[in-house]
Amino acid sequence: MSQQTEPLDVEGLREDFPILQREFDGTQLVYLDNAATTQSPRQVVETITDYYYEYNANVHRGIHQLSQEASVAYEDAHDRVAEFVGADGREELVFTKGTTESMNLVAYAWGLEELGPGDEVVLTEMEHHSSLVTWQQICKRTGAECKYIPITDDGYLDMEAAEDMITDDTEMVSAVHVSNTLGTVNPVSDLADLAHDHDAYMFVDAAQSVPNRPVDVKEIDADFLAFSGHKMCGPTGIGALYGKEHILEEMEPYLYGGEMILKVTYEDATWNELPWKYEAGTPPISQGIAFAEACDYLDEIGLENIRRHEAELAEYAYEQLTQYDDVEVYGPPADDRGGLVAFNLEDVHAHDLSSILNDSAVAIRAGDHCTQPLHDVLGATASARASFYLYNTKDEVDRLVEAVDDARQLFA
Ligand code: PLP
């Protein structure tokens, strides 16, 4: 994992992303919806075309050359993505559709079996719906209870409350690493310690952290950790679940079918080795291989460099937006956040704001960002969110701030 600390050659990097050259009515696109989905560089797209032009075949089934090439590339991709997050190898790294499916896999395979009345699952108030709804519904089905660690007024997790809430009744602590709404970077390693003190598991939702900072599953001591390819320059339809090997060995499969079996009779079946036990059916082969290529691409740039670049842009955006009293930015202070700012312009609904920004070719997200209960806590029905990535520039932040000013004038 790279730890260089060099400024990014953003202009050079942008050449890898043809989509950033798009114009709308002669105005160049400013893409600030990266927390939803990042763009893919040529290197990743070409990995997919190479696969379809050169060695498209089903994996693990054929003796023929194409199938062997596809199988090796797909299997190796697991090792590469595992290495990217500091896991030991493919035995600890299951490919899924993304963070949401990774969460559901554990909730169904482990939660339905292990949880019951009297057990507690501890989440945070800033969970994405992918974790919140999943655990909430599994708790309803098992009789377990969901609890939520509150946030402080400045958007941090209340760790004193966490210490009180994580008890011997806790079976699972599931927390978002970087909040996709507040930009808060949560102390997931401390939460893991608390969980383990009470023999509970720690699940880290790393959808917004693995793409933009060094993340090491062993340093965190996560039992499970989930992330999505499309938020880190990779394709859609692919993501990962890291799990400690002994836990993945113990859990039952989540989906049944081909690929995940070892021996089948009319009466019973046994399961394939890890990680294939959790990858039933024909997998997303080209996506998996391209996911590994995205890891290469990001490692080449350096995760620490990306983290710093994003943080600088977020700090700059925060300061520029809050020059005006009519803008409220949610979450921690400017110099202590991940690479996004969620905000509201007084008396302008976030959807209207986003639509006006779209007229200036500035793409942001408006809505609840899959954190409805958190928006209730913030006292907002929705917010606008600008989220940055390695190819964004300060000039683009200026374009955002100018477009917000246009909206201000329009609604004055
Ligand atoms: N968790 C967080 C913090 C997210 O931001 C997202 C996506 O926005 C998800 C989970 C869900 O990711 P996916 O839709 O790729 O499954």
Side-chain angles (χ1 to χ4, degrees):
M1 192 173 292
S2 177
Q3 292 287 335
Q4 316 145 36
T5 50
E6 295 153 16
L8 298 189
D9 169 19
V10 176
E11 288 314 316
L13 289 173
R14 286 177 71 88
E15 288 176 16
D16 293 335
F17 297 84
I19 200 170
L20 299 177
Q21 301 308 320
R22 278 206 64 183
E23 295 186 351
F24 300 98
D25 295 328
T27 307
Q28 192 170 340
L29 165 71
V30 172
Y31 185 77
L32 301 179
D33 195 15
N34 295 288
T37 288
T38 54
Q39 300 303 339
S40 292
R42 287 181 200 280
Q43 292 85 333
V44 169
V45 176
E46 283 166 7
T47 302
I48 297 171
T49 47
D50 276 359
Y51 168 80
Y52 281 107
Y53 290 162
E54 300 290 337
Y55 59 104
N56 175 27
N58 212 326
V59 291
H60 299 152
R61 292 180 189 178
I63 303 297
H64 62 82
Q65 182 67 21
L66 286 189
S67 177
Q68 285 183 24
E69 287 178 18
S71 299
V72 168
Y74 183 70
E75 289 171 10
D76 286 353
H78 287 70
D79 293 330
R80 180 64 189 95
V81 178
E83 183 198 6
F84 191 73
V85 293
D88 283 339
R90 65 183 67 170
E91 297 75 15
E92 296 190 321
L93 205 287
V94 180
F95 277 176
T96 62
K97 276 202 307 230
T99 306
T100 305
E101 196 188 38
S102 301
M103 196 77 68
N104 275 272
L105 192 164
V106 175
Y108 277 87
W110 174 86
L112 273 188
E113 290 290 322
E114 300 295 332
L115 294 174
D119 292 335
E120 294 178 352
V121 174
V122 176
L123 309 170
T124 78
E125 280 186 345
M126 59 178 101
E127 289 315 290
H128 188 277
H129 293 165
S130 62
S131 138
L132 196 156
V133 178
T134 304
W135 289 117
Q136 175 193 74
Q137 294 304 313
I138 292 293
C139 282
K140 282 187 168 220
R141 285 171 66 165
T142 57
E145 193 187 342
C146 264
K147 293 190 159 177
Y148 301 93
I149 304 168
I151 57 167
T152 62
D153 289 344
D154 44 5
Y156 292 105
L157 266 193
D158 182 339
M159 287 302 284
E160 278 182 24
E163 282 176 32
D164 290 340
M165 290 170 76
I166 298 171
T167 69
D168 288 346
D169 292 332
T170 309
E171 295 294 328
M172 173 67 79
V173 177
S174 183
V176 66
H177 192 180
V178 174
S179 161
N180 64 311
T181 299
L182 299 173
T184 315
V185 184
N186 286 319
V188 283
S189 166
D190 295 344
L191 287 172
D193 287 346
L194 284 174
H196 295 151
D197 286 348
H198 296 280
D199 291 330
Y201 284 148
M202 179 73 207
F203 195 129
V204 179
D205 171 354
Q208 299 293 348
S209 59
V210 166
N212 54 48
R213 63 197 57 232
V215 170
D216 188 308
V217 291
K218 308 281 173 186
E219 269 174 32
I220 296 172
D221 198 11
D223 298 294
F224 301 103
L225 184 137
F227 51 107
S228 301
H230 69 100
K231 295 183 194 288
M232 48 188 287
C233 292
T236 51
I238 188 79
L241 170 71
Y242 158 80
K244 283 183 180 162
E245 191 176 344
H246 73 95
I247 307 176
L248 292 178
E249 287 286 5
E250 282 160 20
M251 276 168 25
E252 283 296 304
Y254 159 61
L255 292 175
Y256 298 104
E259 301 272 351
M260 53 76 67
I261 48 80
L262 205 58
K263 175 96 181 101
V264 183
T265 64
Y266 284 118
E267 289 73 36
D268 208 353
T270 57
W271 313 138
N272 203 343
E273 59 194 22
L274 292 171
W276 323 121
K277 169 182 165 185
Y278 294 103
E279 295 190 17
T282 298
I285 305 166
S286 66
Q287 294 93 322
I289 298 167
F291 191 14
E293 178 63 31
C295 294
D296 283 350
Y297 186 80
L298 296 178
D299 261 344
E300 183 71 25
I301 298 167
L303 271 298
E304 184 53 31
N305 296 334
I306 297 171
R307 186 201 64 73
R308 211 195 41 241
H309 178 73
E310 271 198 12
E312 277 169 18
L313 291 178
E315 182 171 4
Y316 182 62
Y318 188 114
E319 283 165 357
Q320 295 302 306
L321 287 167
T322 52
Q323 289 176 73
Y324 304 93
D325 291 341
D326 58 0
V327 172
E328 182 176 8
V329 178
Y330 302 103
D335 60 354
D336 190 25
R337 45 174 46 241
L340 60 90
V341 281
F343 63 98
N344 267 310
L345 176 63
E346 205 172 273
D347 298 331
V348 181
H349 192 279
H351 284 144
D352 295 331
L353 182 61
S354 173
S355 164
I356 292 164
L357 265 58
N358 187 50
D359 293 341
S360 304
V362 177
I364 62 158
R365 180 137 302 234
D368 55 47
H369 323 306
C370 295
T371 55
Q372 280 180 19
L374 174 62
H375 274 78
D376 288 343
V377 171
L378 298 173
T381 48
S383 59
R385 181 184 70 188
S387 51
F388 311 105
Y389 207 35
L390 54 96
Y391 37 66
N392 290 123
T393 65
K394 279 193 172 172
D395 287 347
E396 291 184 312
V397 176
D398 291 338
R399 288 264 312 272
L400 163 75
V401 176
E402 280 161 25
V404 171
D405 200 37
D406 290 344
R408 178 179 288 114
Q409 310 299 334
L410 200 71
F411 282 89

